[in-house]
Amino acid sequence: MKVIEESAVTAAVRELAMAAACDLEPDTLEALLIARDRESSELARNVLELLLSNSDIASREKIPICQDTGLAVVFVELGREVRVGGDLEAAIQEGVRRGYRDGFLRNSVCDPLTRLNTNDNTPAVVHLELVAGDALTLRFLPKGCGSENMSAMAMLPPSAGKPGIIRYVVEQVVAAGSNPCPPVLVGVGVGGSFEKAAYLAKKSLCRPLGYAHPRSDVADLEAEMLLEINEQGAGVHGLGGVNTALAVHLELFPCHIASLPVAVNIQCHAHRHKEIVL
């Protein structure tokens, strides 16, 4: 059995936290370039140019792309043939603590009632999944709350069907307006239970941009929702144009015959995500 020491996990998460804050992944940069080139509004195109320039400066100077360096969300896939030599949860939290400290990132986590800041951006939200194999995969997703606060969840009647799903998702993105700093990535979770749909919506944001769902009918649904969202014309930062959303990612899970859970989790144009396999 493969053994991964707690210290290795902490070091990896520290690096992920600092890198995610400053360096957009190639998939996000490519999507922004495509959006700029297809943009019909001169004002919106100028804003996209500024966003690309901002990301370039952040990467070169190693300063955060956005002042809101987010609530850290970590998706963990632990192989069944892996043993962590220590406390996995503690290792991740320490990695977040060190990453935000050493990267001089804003501490944005507080008690929900007293509003007292924890002063080290912990605790991170950690999702653990057991998978086959001898690898430990860590996906780091810092979520700023301009976009996170636009999340929504509904328990639709099964009779709503695909039209109801599309209508609900489009309505939520349109209602969000400029708050999530569009162009956005729209994560959608359909099925499961109340909490499972929300988890799927968040996890869908980890899928690289440009990759449709492997199931053709789901991929068609993603494309239809993206088209309808962009046809509404809200555009970049609410300034009009054809780029309200860069992509829609939808994930499914079987649900009860009497329910149709649908969750929407929006990510801003600074789609910060990093991944490492140990």
Side-chain angles (χ1 to χ4, degrees):
M1 176 171 284
K2 182 177 179 180
V3 178
I4 299 175
E5 295 300 332
E6 183 177 328
S7 59
V9 176
T10 294
V13 173
R14 173 185 175 274
E15 292 300 319
L16 290 173
M18 293 191 294
C22 303
D23 298 313
L24 291 183
E25 286 287 280
D27 65 332
T28 305
L29 291 171
E30 178 67 18
L32 288 170
L33 286 168
I34 292 171
R36 181 200 63 187
D37 292 344
R38 74 183 174 210
E39 183 53 65
S40 60
S41 163
E42 182 178 354
L43 178 58
R45 188 165 56 252
N46 288 341
V47 174
L48 286 165
E49 289 280 10
L50 290 173
L51 297 181
L52 286 162
S53 177
N54 179 70
S55 67
D56 177 62
I57 294 169
S59 182
R60 285 189 288 105
E61 301 292 335
K62 297 306 173 190
I63 54 178
I65 295 165
C66 177
Q67 83 282 354
D68 185 350
T69 49
L71 171 67
V73 180
V74 185
F75 290 93
V76 183
E77 291 183 357
L78 178 63
R80 294 185 179 90
E81 298 173 40
V82 175
R83 181 174 69 82
V84 175
D87 188 324
L88 177 59
E89 172 80 19
I92 292 170
Q93 300 296 350
E94 182 61 22
V96 171
R97 186 176 294 111
R98 294 182 189 182
Y100 276 74
R101 179 197 66 197
D102 297 345
F104 301 99
L105 309 180
R106 193 182 82 183
N107 295 321
S108 303
V109 176
C110 69
D111 182 281
L113 299 182
T114 66
R115 311 308 294 182
L116 291 175
N117 200 300
T118 63
N119 294 319
D120 59 9
N121 224 65
T122 68
V125 176
V126 179
H127 299 287
L128 175 63
E129 183 179 355
L130 292 175
V131 298
D134 64 350
L136 172 63
T137 301
L138 301 167
R139 295 186 176 93
F140 192 93
L141 186 73
K143 284 290 269 118
C145 275
S147 58
E148 186 73 359
N149 286 350
M150 298 299 103
S151 303
M153 172 77 201
M155 303 299 288
L156 299 180
S159 59
K162 288 182 182 179
I165 294 170
I166 294 170
R167 182 168 57 252
Y168 181 74
V169 172
V170 173
E171 285 175 353
Q172 300 315 308
V173 178
V174 171
S178 62
N179 291 309
C181 298
V184 296
L185 170 59
V186 184
V188 182
V190 176
S193 55
F194 177 84
E195 78 282 2
K196 183 69 172 182
Y199 168 79
L200 291 172
K202 178 66 64 64
K203 189 177 182 182
S204 75
L205 299 177
C206 295
R207 188 202 310 168
L209 286 166
Y211 287 81
H213 195 281
R215 225 176 88 176
S216 61
D217 59 335
V218 180
D220 290 344
L221 194 55
E222 290 175 334
E224 188 173 350
M225 286 190 285
L226 178 62
L227 179 63
E228 189 162 338
I229 287 168
N230 285 332
E231 284 181 343
Q232 303 305 306
V236 176
H237 284 284
L239 298 172
V242 298
N243 288 293
T244 303
L246 299 173
V248 175
H249 289 178
L250 190 155
E251 296 295 333
L252 298 177
F253 195 86
C255 62
H256 192 281
I257 58 173
S259 74
L260 180 57
V262 179
V264 179
N265 191 233
I266 298 176
Q267 178 74 306
C268 71
H269 70 271
H271 175 37
R272 297 164 292 182
H273 64 105
K274 294 292 179 181
E275 176 180 328
I276 192 170
V277 179
L278 300 178

